[in-house]
Amino acid sequence: MYRSYEIELSRGAFSNQYERLKPGISALYPNLRKSLACKIAQYGYDKNIPVDGELIEKTWFPQGEFHVFISHSHKDIELASCLAVYLKWRMGINAFVDSLVWGYRDTLIKQLTPTGLGHYRWTEEQKLSFTSSVASHVDCMLLKSLMEVMDRCECILFLNTPNAMTTEGVCGKTMSAWIYGEMEAARRLRKIVPERLRLTKRAMENYSRVVLDESVGAQPVIMMSHPMDTSHLQKISSNKFVDWTNAVVSTDPQQSLDTLYSLMK
């Protein structure tokens, strides 16, 4: 990762292009999504044989070549998706949005949990323990995959909306454990200056952070807030985003990102 930004956008940022972008969401990364067609039975599930975690991780959370990681609240998935499509269409930038590329955490947990738990004659405590064990394995695979894709992306865009965090002075709050965890992970990721910039530009200020989206749906969850210090992030306003898009003259992703870096000096 090279740089991280906090970007504030609304549906109006795409003006009349919003409806035109929506159809492109499902077709953004079709090749990666195809791998999710695999059924859990193909992983060799058996209560006496260990499940192949590496195969599941590669199938459910595949890695790809991305320039930008978009961190967002699950409630802002439509906005994040349209931003990804716009960056690809206007600038040639491949943007990572978890739900466009990966399978859902909760779906994987359900598939790894036998539907007939009663068949094993377990107590309720044993059933809960088993389900918690499955969730632990899935979360570890998900976090590892997230850190890998964030580390490989050149730029991170945190989509700051009221759904993602509330502002309280310098340090805001988020109700999302995933946003909090990803932000802290990104804060500690190595900073790598792209090869094309090493001869012309030298280190800058600190970077970092990001976020993801948790697929909670209508399931009951604990209400817990976490501190969100974004003082180290450069802020991209809606107007600055428009300046960036207007300044881009090609669909070369590297030139498009270099344009952003120059505007944010």
Side-chain angles (χ1 to χ4, degrees):
M1 181 179 64
Y2 176 45
R3 291 197 182 182
S4 295
Y5 299 98
E6 173 185 344
I7 183 169
E8 296 182 354
L9 289 179
S10 64
R11 177 169 172 161
F14 301 107
S15 72
N16 60 350
Q17 301 176 37
Y18 187 86
E19 294 301 325
R20 184 175 65 175
L21 293 173
K22 287 178 65 176
I25 294 175
S26 60
L28 195 57
Y29 301 115
N31 293 332
L32 288 174
R33 293 294 295 181
K34 285 180 181 178
S35 66
L36 298 183
C38 296
K39 301 300 181 183
I40 206 66
Q42 296 177 271
Y43 301 148
Y45 190 92
D46 187 289
K47 69 175 183 178
N48 297 316
I49 301 176
V51 178
D52 190 337
E54 182 180 15
L55 176 59
I56 293 177
E57 184 178 326
K58 290 180 178 180
T59 302
W60 212 259
F61 309 121
Q63 297 292 316
E65 296 302 320
F66 302 99
H67 306 105
V68 169
F69 183 103
I70 298 179
S71 170
H72 65 287
S73 163
H74 73 279
K75 295 180 180 179
D76 295 319
I77 179 58
E78 191 174 66
L79 179 60
S81 299
C82 283
L83 173 59
V85 174
Y86 183 80
L87 291 177
K88 179 66 174 179
W89 166 69
R90 179 68 178 82
M91 308 180 189
I93 292 175
N94 290 334
F96 177 89
V97 177
D98 60 333
S99 59
L100 296 184
V101 182
W102 291 350
Y104 292 108
R105 165 191 179 272
D106 291 353
T107 302
L108 178 56
I109 290 175
K110 288 179 181 178
Q111 290 198 26
L112 284 170
T113 304
T115 55
L117 283 179
H119 173 73
Y120 299 101
R121 297 181 181 179
W122 287 341
T123 64
E124 290 302 316
E125 183 178 354
Q126 288 174 318
K127 293 178 183 178
L128 177 60
S129 177
F130 181 86
T131 303
S132 297
S133 174
V134 170
S136 296
H137 282 280
V138 171
D139 286 345
C140 284
M141 290 188 287
L142 175 55
L143 285 172
K144 172 179 174 289
S145 299
L146 277 172
M147 292 183 69
E148 286 181 352
V149 71
M150 286 159 52
D151 184 57
R152 293 172 62 182
C153 282
E154 181 175 317
C155 181
I156 289 176
L157 297 179
F158 167 52
L159 192 54
N160 186 355
T161 70
N163 291 324
M165 65 175 287
T166 58
T167 304
E168 298 178 9
V170 174
C171 184
K173 297 285 185 179
T174 181
M175 302 297 287
S176 169
W178 285 104
I179 287 178
Y180 172 68
E182 289 177 14
M183 173 178 157
E184 291 303 310
R187 190 188 299 276
R188 293 162 175 77
L189 287 175
R190 56 183 178 168
K191 180 178 179 181
I192 303 175
V193 179
E195 184 64 33
R196 69 182 185 280
L197 300 178
R198 290 178 185 174
L199 299 179
T200 57
K201 300 179 182 178
R202 283 302 138 185
M204 356 176 338
E205 67 258 56
N206 28 359
Y207 65 128
S208 161
R209 71 86 22 141
V210 91
V211 45
L212 182 133
D213 158 69
E214 74 277 34
S215 53
V216 177
Q219 299 300 316
V221 296
I222 184 173
M223 298 293 287
M224 184 181 300
S225 66
H226 303 278
M228 287 279 286
D229 184 356
T230 60
S231 60
H232 57 290
L233 296 179
Q234 286 186 280
K235 293 178 171 56
I236 302 177
S237 64
S238 293
N239 290 337
K240 183 65 72 172
F241 178 77
V242 172
D243 291 342
W244 177 27
T245 60
N246 289 338
V248 170
V249 296
S250 76
T251 55
D252 181 284
Q254 294 182 346
Q255 290 184 15
S256 298
L257 288 173
D258 288 350
T259 300
L260 172 63
Y261 303 151
S262 296
L263 286 173
M264 298 301 293
K265 280 185 176 178

